[in-house]
Amino acid sequence: MRIFRLLSLSCLMVVMLASVGFAATVIKIAHPNVPSHPEGQAFELFKSDLEKRSNGAFKVQIYDSSKYGNFDAVVQGLQMGVLQMGADATNNFSVFNPKLMMFDMPFLIPDYESSDQITDGPLGQELANALEKNNIMGLGYIEIGFRNIFSSRPVRTLEDARDLKIRSTHSKAHIAILKALGMNPTPVAWGEVYTALQQKTVDAIDIDLNLAWFNKFPEITKYVTMTNSFYSPHLVLVSTAFWSKLDPQQQQWIRESFNVMQKFERETIRKNEAMIKQKIVEQGGEVIELSPEERQRWVEATRSIAEDFADAVPPAVIQEIKDTVSKK
């Protein structure tokens, strides 16, 4: 009987040790978008792909819609290693590397082909890698899209934009662009934007088609003017404290799953745009396309912005972007 008990105890200890040895590594991911947005869908894809690819070695927990906290909370979590991954707009990370404000420069990146060459090329990778001194590793870029104006009154010309009370971020470059276009920028926290538009605290917001659609802004803004003023990427980040503990195979799994989600996210963002414009029209809204001549007036109105922010975004960076675009 005593031998039986000892054998049973030994077996139990073996099972317990085996369980500890094969416990899944948890990855907590925080991002600011709603689950239905392509970014939200992409992180769900990342979760399923990585858990399958690693045969259960990783378990992913997603905190969407800023549930983990604001940008500062996400950064602190990554730096401390209590949050393993996150994503946010590149302009937020300009506090660590001012050159990331290059994406805030107006009318610089003309199309998605150009944006891919810049973010996936040497310049984009250099800027992502520069965050490592802050204990954050840039895994790569996904995207939000190009900004357009959603408004309660039609904006067909630069004159129509004058004095338009428009929601802005706290980005100095973003505010400067809106002022150069004659608008009245009003900073509003992201979580308060819908109410601000509904209550007429602001009359407009410049935002990409997907983000506007999945946050139901077309319900309260009848008009959308296709300015494509600047491109907004999100940078997907990994805590270096977490990354350094992984073996090469685990790191490779994460990179491969990121590649899968990146491809899906970009394709979905771009594919959705025609559908969203059609839906806006079907619901009684109006999609306003600027003529080439009118759009050039908007370009000219903001031409000095890059010069004004030359200390943060050196002219050499601007020229590198222009050279990259011209070669496509």
Side-chain angles (χ1 to χ4, degrees), residues 170-187:
H170 290 280
S171 164
K172 292 180 179 179
H174 187 203
I175 292 171
I177 291 169
L178 297 176
K179 284 184 175 179
L181 293 169
M183 302 182 203
N184 179 12
T186 306

Side-chain angles (χ1 to χ4, degrees), residues 20-68:
V20 172
F22 290 94
T25 298
V26 175
I27 298 179
K28 296 178 182 177
I29 301 176
H31 71 85
N33 259 312
V34 295
S36 57
H37 185 276
E39 182 173 330
Q41 296 177 45
F43 275 112
E44 288 293 341
L45 176 60
F46 176 84
K47 169 183 168 65
S48 61
D49 187 89
L50 181 59
E51 290 178 348
K52 181 178 180 181
R53 187 183 298 275
S54 67
N55 196 28
F58 286 113
K59 180 177 176 56
V60 178
Q61 299 175 0
I62 299 174
Y63 297 81
D64 58 69
S65 310
S66 298
K67 291 174 184 173
Y68 188 88

Side-chain angles (χ1 to χ4, degrees), residues 8-23:
S8 298
L9 182 59
S10 298
C11 290
L12 179 61
M13 290 178 67
V14 169
V15 171
M16 290 175 65
L17 288 171
S19 298
V20 172
F22 290 94

Side-chain angles (χ1 to χ4, degrees), residues 160-174:
D160 293 333
R162 187 165 296 136
D163 296 325
L164 185 70
K165 195 170 186 180
I166 186 168
R167 181 262 181 177
S168 72
T169 65
H170 290 280
S171 164
K172 292 180 179 179
H174 187 203

Side-chain angles (χ1 to χ4, degrees), residues 125-281:
Q125 295 309 301
E126 174 194 338
L127 296 182
N129 293 339
L131 296 175
E132 290 187 17
K133 63 184 178 182
N134 302 104
N135 299 320
I136 300 172
M137 188 187 83
L139 194 59
Y141 299 85
I142 53 177
E143 67 191 11
I144 297 300
F146 287 89
R147 287 185 181 251
N148 303 288
I149 297 174
F150 286 77
S151 56
S152 57
R153 74 179 199 226
V155 177
R156 307 182 194 283
T157 65
L158 202 54
E159 288 73 23
D160 293 333
R162 187 165 296 136
D163 296 325
L164 185 70
K165 195 170 186 180
I166 186 168
R167 181 262 181 177
S168 72
T169 65
H170 290 280
S171 164
K172 292 180 179 179
H174 187 203
I175 292 171
I177 291 169
L178 297 176
K179 284 184 175 179
L181 293 169
M183 302 182 203
N184 179 12
T186 306
V188 176
W190 175 246
E192 301 170 8
V193 171
Y194 188 94
T195 302
L197 288 166
Q198 191 176 44
Q199 296 179 350
K200 307 300 182 184
T201 304
V202 292
D203 299 313
I205 180 173
D206 67 328
I207 196 171
D208 71 285
L209 289 167
N210 279 270
L211 207 52
W213 180 256
F214 288 103
N215 285 277
K216 304 185 185 303
F217 294 155
E219 294 179 350
I220 46 178
T221 54
K222 182 179 179 181
Y223 303 94
V224 54
T225 304
M226 301 299 296
T227 57
N228 285 354
S229 55
F230 62 95
Y231 173 74
S232 297
H234 273 202
L235 189 53
V236 177
L237 307 153
V238 180
S239 165
T240 55
F242 164 71
W243 188 258
S244 63
K245 295 177 182 177
L246 302 178
D247 62 42
Q249 177 62 76
Q250 291 172 317
Q251 293 176 351
Q252 182 65 21
W253 284 332
I254 291 174
R255 290 189 186 278
E256 288 171 352
S257 292
F258 169 74
N259 291 338
V260 170
M261 73 160 281
Q262 182 190 54
K263 182 175 185 294
F264 166 84
E265 199 269 353
R266 288 178 174 176
E267 288 178 351
T268 306
I269 284 281
R270 300 168 192 187
K271 180 181 67 177
N272 281 354
E273 291 188 347
M275 175 273 293
I276 291 169
K277 289 194 284 186
Q278 180 180 343
K279 291 286 187 183
I280 288 172
V281 173

